[in-house]
């Protein structure tokens, strides 16, 4: 069990500032037409709630398209339907995920003023960036976990519905925010 | 036997065959019948026993008449004159080439059996000594063949045209004029003779018995056949004269018997000659009798067949030896690592072994865009992200992130944050492929995609 986050004032202000703008991410392939392989949305916390309750762990939602027979994700083509573009982010917002993989960050357990998650020894430094991804139906089944080990060293473990590209870009979202 | 066959006149041959087979179980004496009947299966038209020759004429599927040659001729059944000729010929056209050809060749000969032997032997020696005289004989033979065309029935003539069309040489005179050594099987009638064909048979029997069993019908010169028990091989029991001229087209099997059994000394002499020749001149091509076969139309020589079979194998081996595969070239480190890791029993290492397997599989698709094998059953793939902030000015704001496989520290993906953007934009590059000059650009093949932040407020 490892500490997730300890709030400092500067960190808090930075996070507050960033959370206003950078809350939605989409993973785009290199194809000419816009094709998305994943989407990440961070739950936006209001300023009043943050002032009230302090810094809370991030809540993240990830949507990943299905896999084909070669275990490669089928890219989602962003096409205008009825005058509206429907990207994966919009699908998360409208909760029209269909048969895609919807993953959510695992909620940590609050103990003694610290939020704790079990990383099985893979993470050694408490950080805001640490997270574990699992489906909301089965929270015990962890698909992806990311945590800080050193100053510039992080561990990223991932599993089947995610590939390296998706998992790495999800981790990059955490670097960014 | 004749009585039995005559009993079944008017019945279907299969019925009589089943009857024969039933009898043959009873005693070994009647085992001969089975042999005859098995011949009946292949060549229903003509049956030769040791003592008598039996001809069966059948129209359609019914046996029509049976008896010895004398009896049939006395009854009025003769091949050339009677109505049964048509049936017989129609049947002959469906037979293998061997039958047709020997049948055809016998039209050329007017000599006695022994005389023919002597003549053919002399001719053969002559041809082997000096090859210049060879065209003369072939021309003779062609003349003979042309003259012999008058005697051949229409169906046979048609077959022969077909044969000539299938073979490449249609005009033998051009071959003589150019003086080329060609396949003389077309122009030489000697090769088609039964005695000439019989010569290599003993050798062939030793060499590949399976093939012989496949292409040969139950023939006369088998050593282990049941007829030899009854002593029918002895030439004293058999009529030592050629059959009359009128029966010759039908007389194929009887003639073959004379050739092979009545004159064993000459037969053996020919065989020894061919052997000694082949031994003395090893560089020469094998005697023509080997290649000249009844099934020679469709058959390629054995050596060429072997070469055809072996050639792709050699090419494959050479390519394997010379150039390693892409897998080994790209991922040799991981392959060795995987072998090494298999010996250990660490849980995490075994997961990485699976990853290496995926990497070896996925050459067409980059490993980075592949999910780990076996879906959700495998445990987590362990990677390390290193943040590179070497550049003090820009590195703090726009660092590069590198994703490694933790086991071998193999670089998978590099991410660069694009500067001068209001919303963050990361470009991701596949590093499992080689990079040209170390520069990463969007138009290089390494570009995987990007991670783009949306501004929901704007």
């Amino acid at each position: 069990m490892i500490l997730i986050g300890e709030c400092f004032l500067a960190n808090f202000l930075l996070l507050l500032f960033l959370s206003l703008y950078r809350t939605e991410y989409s993973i785009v392939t290199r194809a000419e037409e816009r094709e998305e392989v994943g989407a990440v949305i961070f739950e936006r916390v209001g300023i009043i709630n943050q002032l009230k309750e302090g810094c809370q762990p991030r809540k993240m939602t990830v949507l990943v398209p299905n896999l084909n027979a070669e275990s490669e994700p089928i890219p989602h083509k962003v096409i205008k339907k009825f005058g509206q573009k429907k990207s994966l982010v919009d699908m998360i917002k409208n909760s029209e995920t269909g048969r895609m993989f919807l993953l959510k960050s695992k909620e940590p357990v609050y103990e003694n003023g610290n939020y704790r998650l079990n990383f099985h020894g893979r993470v050694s430094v408490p950080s805001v960036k640490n997270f574990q991804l699992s489906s909301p139906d089965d929270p015990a089944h962890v698909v992806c976990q990311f945590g800080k080990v050193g100053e510039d060293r992080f561990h990223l473990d991932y599993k089947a519905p995610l590939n390296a590209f998706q998992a790495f870009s999800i981790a990059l979202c955490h670097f960014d925010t | 036997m004749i009585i039995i066959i005559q009993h079944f006149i008017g019945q279907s041959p299969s019925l009589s065959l089943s009857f024969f087979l039933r009898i043959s179980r009873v005693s070994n004496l009647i085992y001969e019948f089975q042999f005859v009947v098995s011949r009946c299966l292949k060549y229903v038209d003509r049956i030769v026993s040791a003592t008598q020759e039996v001809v069966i004429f059948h129209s359609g599927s019914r046996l029509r008449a049976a008896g010895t040659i004398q009896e049939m001729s006395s009854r009025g059944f003769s091949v050339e004159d009677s109505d049964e000729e048509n049936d017989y010929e129609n049947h002959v056209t469906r037979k293998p080439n061997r039958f047709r050809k020997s049948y055809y060749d016998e039209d050329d000969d007017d000599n006695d059996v022994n005389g023919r032997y002597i003549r053919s032997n002399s001719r053969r020696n002559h041809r082997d000594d000096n090859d210049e005289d060879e065209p003369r004989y072939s021309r003779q033979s062609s003349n003979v063949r042309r003259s012999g065309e008058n005697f051949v029935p229409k169906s046979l003539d048609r077959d022969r045209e077909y044969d000539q069309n299938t073979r490449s040489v249609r005009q033998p005179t051009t071959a003589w004029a150019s003086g080329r050594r060609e396949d003389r099987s077309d122009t030489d009638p000697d090769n088609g003779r039964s005695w000439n064909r019989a010569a290599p048979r003993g050798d062939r029997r030793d060499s590949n018995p399976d093939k012989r069993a496949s292409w040969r019908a139950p023939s006369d010169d088998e050593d282990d056949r049941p007829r030899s028990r009854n002593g029918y091989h002895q030439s004293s029991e058999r009529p030592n004269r050629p059959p009359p001229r009128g029966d010759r087209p039908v007389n194929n099997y009887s003639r073959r018997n004379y050739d092979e059994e009545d004159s064993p000394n000459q037969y053996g002499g020919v065989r020894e000659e061919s052997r000694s020749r082949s031994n003395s001149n090893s560089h020469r091509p094998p005697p023509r009798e080997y290649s000249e076969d009844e099934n020679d139309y469709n058959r390629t020589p054995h050596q060429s067949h072997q070469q055809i079979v072996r050639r792709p194998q050699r090419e494959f081996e050479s390519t394997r030896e010379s150039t390693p595969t892409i897998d080994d070239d790209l991922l040799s480190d991981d392959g060795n690592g995987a072998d090494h890791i298999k010996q250990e029993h660490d849980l995490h290492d075994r997961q990485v072994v699976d990853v290496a397997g995926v990497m070896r599989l996925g050459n067409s698709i980059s490993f980075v865009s592949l999910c780990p094998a076996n879906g959700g059953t495998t445990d987590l793939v362990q990677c390390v992200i290193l943040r590179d902030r070497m550049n003090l000015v820009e590195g703090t704001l726009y660092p590069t992130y590198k994703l490694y496989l933790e086991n071998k520290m193999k670089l998978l993906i590099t991410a660069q944050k694009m500067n001068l953007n209001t919303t963050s934009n990361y470009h991701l590059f596949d590093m499992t492929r080689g990079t040209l000059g170390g520069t990463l650009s969007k138009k290089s093949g390494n570009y995987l995609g990007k991670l783009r932040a949306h501004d929901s407020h704007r």
Side-chain angles (χ1 to χ4, degrees):
Chain A
M1 305 292 276
I2 271 181
L3 302 172
I4 268 197
E6 295 177 1
C7 274
F8 301 102
L9 185 62
N11 203 359
F12 166 75
L13 286 176
L14 184 65
L15 282 174
L16 186 66
F17 174 74
L18 290 177
S19 64
L20 292 176
Y21 296 104
R22 297 167 187 171
T23 51
E24 300 168 0
Y25 294 87
S26 60
I27 306 165
V28 187
T29 62
R30 61 178 173 184
E32 292 184 0
E33 296 181 1
R34 188 181 174 87
E35 289 178 351
E36 294 181 346
V37 192
V40 184
I41 283 184
F42 288 96
E43 191 175 298
R44 194 179 299 156
V45 186
I47 301 172
I48 305 167
N49 287 335
Q50 283 202 8
L51 289 172
K52 271 187 186 174
E53 304 174 5
C55 184
Q56 287 181 351
R58 300 168 180 173
K59 290 181 179 176
M60 182 178 59
T61 309
V62 178
L63 187 64
V64 176
N66 265 337
L67 305 177
N68 60 5
E70 292 174 335
S71 74
E72 199 185 10
I74 304 165
H76 172 75
K77 292 184 179 178
V78 182
I79 310 169
K80 277 190 178 179
K81 282 185 179 178
F82 310 110
Q84 261 191 343
K85 281 186 179 178
K86 224 175 187 183
S87 62
L88 287 177
V89 175
D90 300 331
M91 291 175 72
I92 297 176
K93 283 180 181 174
N94 303 331
S95 67
E96 297 171 353
T97 55
R99 290 184 180 178
M100 295 184 179
F101 295 103
L102 182 69
L103 305 171
K104 286 191 175 180
S105 58
K106 197 176 178 181
E107 292 188 358
V109 182
Y110 186 75
E111 281 181 7
N112 303 326
N114 294 321
Y115 292 99
R116 292 175 182 271
L117 273 177
N118 192 4
F119 287 99
H120 296 283
R122 288 284 293 164
V123 180
S124 57
V125 178
S127 170
V128 195
K129 298 181 178 65
N130 303 348
F131 72 90
Q132 277 186 338
L133 270 182
S134 63
S135 74
D137 301 331
D138 185 13
H141 184 74
V142 177
V143 168
C144 176
Q145 65 180 17
F146 171 76
K148 193 171 182 177
V149 180
E151 191 181 349
D152 287 333
R153 187 186 173 97
F154 303 87
H155 276 176
L156 174 68
D157 304 341
Y158 62 94
K159 218 178 177 181
L162 300 174
N163 56 29
F165 175 45
Q166 290 164 336
F168 186 42
S169 48
I170 290 169
L172 280 180
C173 299
H174 280 267
F175 282 118
D176 194 37
T177 51
Chain B
M1 184 178 67
I2 299 168
I3 295 168
I4 294 171
I5 293 174
Q6 279 175 350
H7 180 71
F8 283 98
I9 287 174
Q11 308 282 335
S12 66
S14 61
L15 225 175
S16 54
L17 278 182
S18 63
F19 181 75
F20 283 142
L21 292 175
R22 206 175 300 156
I23 287 177
S24 65
R25 287 174 199 163
V26 177
S27 65
N28 278 332
L29 278 178
I30 320 175
Y31 198 79
E32 181 188 358
F33 286 146
Q34 192 179 1
F35 172 69
V36 170
V37 163
S38 65
R39 289 184 120 203
C40 243
L41 261 177
K42 300 282 181 182
Y43 315 99
V44 188
D45 304 289
R46 186 165 188 80
I47 298 175
V48 179
S49 74
T51 53
Q52 289 161 327
E53 297 176 358
V54 182
V55 188
I56 298 177
F57 295 108
H58 64 103
S59 62
S61 62
R62 301 277 168 180
L63 293 175
R64 211 164 152 187
T68 60
I69 291 174
Q70 287 83 9
E71 286 178 6
M72 300 309 287
S73 58
S74 65
R75 271 198 227 167
F77 285 106
S78 73
V79 179
E80 293 179 355
D81 301 333
S82 65
D83 296 333
E84 281 79 13
E85 182 189 358
N86 294 325
D87 296 333
Y88 177 69
E89 282 178 6
N90 288 333
H91 193 78
V92 162
T93 53
R94 278 183 250 116
K95 279 178 182 172
N97 290 327
R98 171 168 79 114
F99 191 84
R100 213 186 303 147
K101 200 168 181 185
S102 60
Y103 179 89
Y104 155 73
D105 284 332
E106 281 173 1
D107 288 335
D108 302 340
D109 303 322
D110 295 329
N111 293 341
D112 199 358
V113 176
N114 296 326
R116 194 172 49 143
Y117 264 112
I118 294 162
R119 195 191 66 182
S120 55
N121 274 331
S122 64
R123 190 188 278 185
R124 183 198 183 105
N125 294 328
H126 195 65
R127 183 182 61 200
D128 287 335
D129 287 336
N130 40 356
D131 293 331
E132 296 174 356
D133 294 336
E134 191 181 332
R136 185 163 55 85
Y137 286 111
S138 56
R139 193 174 295 165
Q140 271 186 2
S141 66
S142 67
N143 290 332
V144 168
R145 186 179 281 185
R146 274 168 212 149
S147 65
E149 282 177 4
N150 301 327
F151 300 104
V152 178
K154 286 183 180 179
S155 63
L156 289 174
D157 198 9
R158 191 181 60 216
D159 292 332
R160 198 172 131 226
E161 283 181 2
Y162 171 71
D163 293 343
Q164 284 184 353
N165 289 332
T166 51
R167 292 191 178 197
S168 61
V169 182
R170 296 191 66 177
Q171 295 175 350
T173 52
T174 57
W176 308 332
S178 60
R180 278 175 290 159
R181 266 189 89 106
E182 290 209 354
D183 186 17
R184 275 168 268 141
S185 58
D186 294 323
T187 57
D188 240 348
D190 289 345
N191 296 316
R193 275 169 214 259
S194 55
W195 70 268
N196 224 349
R197 256 179 274 118
R201 208 168 263 170
D203 299 338
R204 200 186 297 140
R205 182 190 303 157
D206 297 334
S207 61
N208 44 1
D210 297 333
K211 192 171 184 183
R212 176 176 138 266
S214 67
W215 64 263
R216 274 186 71 195
S219 61
D220 303 334
D221 54 347
E222 280 184 18
D223 294 334
D224 51 346
R225 68 173 195 260
R227 286 178 65 185
S228 59
R229 296 178 204 158
N230 299 334
Y232 287 122
H233 270 300
Q234 298 171 4
S235 60
S236 61
E237 293 185 3
R238 306 200 57 218
N240 200 11
R241 54 170 177 77
R245 169 73 178 140
D247 291 333
R248 271 195 186 169
V250 200
N251 212 7
N252 180 24
Y253 281 103
S254 63
R255 180 62 61 84
R256 289 179 66 83
N257 283 336
Y258 292 140
D259 295 342
E260 293 166 7
E261 293 176 351
D262 282 357
S263 55
N265 295 326
Q266 293 180 6
Y267 178 73
V270 168
R271 201 191 280 171
E272 285 175 4
E273 259 187 15
S274 64
R275 274 178 187 168
S276 64
R277 258 183 233 134
S278 61
N279 288 331
S280 62
N281 303 327
S282 61
H283 64 280
R284 278 184 66 167
R288 206 167 298 111
E289 296 89 20
Y290 287 85
S291 65
E292 184 65 23
D293 197 14
E294 290 84 4
N295 295 335
D296 203 22
Y297 293 86
N298 301 322
R299 193 171 66 91
T300 56
H302 191 59
Q303 288 184 350
S304 67
H305 180 66
Q306 275 186 348
Q307 285 173 0
I308 290 167
V309 169
R310 280 177 191 168
R311 204 171 291 142
Q313 276 189 353
R314 282 174 190 162
E315 288 175 1
F316 179 68
E317 288 171 3
S318 63
T319 50
R320 272 299 285 257
E321 288 170 3
S322 62
T323 61
T325 58
I326 306 168
D327 293 351
D328 301 331
D329 197 10
L330 265 180
L331 304 163
S332 57
D333 296 338
D334 284 333
N336 297 331
D339 295 336
H340 175 66
I341 288 158
K342 275 178 185 175
Q343 297 171 359
E344 304 172 2
H345 296 286
D346 193 3
L347 177 68
H348 301 299
D349 287 347
R350 266 195 284 118
Q351 300 146 14
V352 183
V353 167
D354 293 337
V355 173
V358 170
M359 291 185 75
R360 252 179 249 116
L361 277 178
N363 270 325
S364 57
I365 309 165
S366 68
F367 160 71
V368 164
S369 59
L370 268 181
C371 292
N374 299 325
T377 57
T378 55
D379 221 317
L380 298 169
V381 178
Q382 299 177 352
C383 298
V384 180
I385 296 174
L386 293 182
R387 182 166 54 186
D388 191 5
R389 288 194 283 199
M390 291 297 290
N391 195 345
L392 290 176
V393 181
E394 291 186 351
T396 51
L397 282 177
Y398 307 109
T400 60
Y401 300 91
K402 292 182 179 178
L403 179 72
Y404 293 88
L405 266 181
E406 198 190 15
N407 186 40
K408 299 295 287 183
M409 288 305 281
K410 185 177 180 61
L411 182 58
L412 295 180
I413 307 177
T414 305
Q416 287 178 346
K417 189 176 183 182
M418 310 309 291
N419 50 9
L420 302 175
N421 279 323
T422 52
T423 57
S424 57
N425 189 13
Y426 291 89
H427 282 187
L428 300 166
F429 296 98
D430 184 6
M431 301 303 286
T432 55
R433 336 170 75 190
T435 57
L436 272 177
T439 57
L440 297 171
S441 69
K442 203 174 175 180
K443 290 189 178 179
S444 66
N446 296 358
Y447 181 63
L448 271 176
K450 67 178 178 181
L451 174 73
R452 183 81 201 194
H454 294 288
D455 280 342
S456 57
H457 292 288
R458 295 182 183 180

